Amino acid sequence: MEILLRNMASLYIIKDNKMLLLYRQGSRVVNNMWVGSAGGHFEENELNNPKACILRELQEELGITGHEIEDLHLRYITLRRMENEVRQNYYFFAKLKDNISEELSSNEGISKWFSLSELAALEMPFTAKHVIEHYLNIGYKTDILYGGVANREKVLFTEF
């Protein structure tokens, strides 16, 4: 069986102890779940530059640029096998600048701000749920890049 690769990136925007999430609708990969503020598949010219992917998705989906966020950092890279494909996800976190309105909407679904304490109860894709759990417990306290490999039950994280 041939194994294919799917490269994706997600951005989680934070402001004042809240996180902006997207209830993605109409997607062929992740549908009717809460996902990052913006994100998607790499374009061919972005395969070696996940930051370029996330900045493009930010503009396309939320209509804002990298100048309207700050502290943009790649914090997690995860791998998960789904049938004949390995999904490699790059998770970025950033802060919305103070002078930028929180009234953001997406052309990919419903954008909504949640307090950080509400995130654990939301339906999210498997690896994203584990990334957010790890980030809230450990990741936000560090500047470390974490790698995660998913098995059927959990995502095992290690420091890079």
Side-chain angles (χ1 to χ4, degrees):
M1 169 174 43
E2 182 178 11
I3 301 293
L4 303 174
L5 299 177
R6 182 182 298 269
N7 292 293
M8 298 173 284
S10 293
L11 170 63
Y12 291 87
I13 298 175
I14 299 170
K15 185 172 185 177
D16 298 330
N17 212 29
K18 297 179 291 190
M19 185 178 288
L20 181 66
L21 295 180
L22 168 70
Y23 190 74
R24 187 170 293 277
Q25 298 171 312
S27 171
R28 64 183 192 275
V29 177
V30 176
N31 196 32
N32 297 330
M33 288 187 188
W34 292 101
V35 297
S37 312
H41 295 88
F42 285 37
E43 299 289 335
E44 188 173 320
N45 63 324
E46 298 166 340
L47 289 178
N48 293 319
N49 191 347
K51 184 177 179 181
C53 175
I54 211 58
L55 291 173
R56 175 185 52 77
E57 294 285 356
L58 178 67
Q59 173 70 43
E60 289 177 4
E61 295 182 13
L62 291 173
I64 62 174
T65 69
H67 299 291
E68 294 164 290
I69 59 174
E70 58 190 1
D71 298 328
L72 175 64
H73 291 95
L74 174 61
R75 298 301 311 283
Y76 294 86
I77 302 170
T78 63
L79 296 171
R80 181 178 185 205
R81 184 168 178 183
M82 297 285 295
E83 299 175 12
N84 69 328
E85 135 182 312
V86 174
R87 295 182 179 180
Q88 186 164 305
N89 286 282
Y90 296 81
Y91 293 91
F92 288 82
F93 288 79
K95 295 177 184 172
L96 187 66
K97 288 186 175 179
D98 287 336
N99 63 333
I100 305 301
S101 171
E102 293 180 27
E103 298 299 318
L104 298 171
S105 61
S106 174
N107 58 6
E108 299 279 333
I110 301 165
S111 292
K112 183 177 175 183
W113 290 95
F114 290 93
S115 70
L116 298 180
S117 63
E118 294 176 288
L119 300 179
L122 299 175
E123 186 175 351
M124 297 180 186
F126 183 79
T127 54
K129 185 100 170 155
H130 286 276
V131 164
I132 292 299
E133 178 183 303
H134 189 274
Y135 180 79
L136 293 174
N137 289 327
I138 297 169
Y140 81 94
K141 301 174 194 172
T142 75
D143 290 329
I144 296 170
L145 174 62
Y146 295 96
V149 177
N151 63 27
R152 289 184 178 97
E153 300 164 10
K154 60 185 173 181
V155 179
L156 305 170
F157 291 101
T158 189
E159 297 178 7
F160 277 164

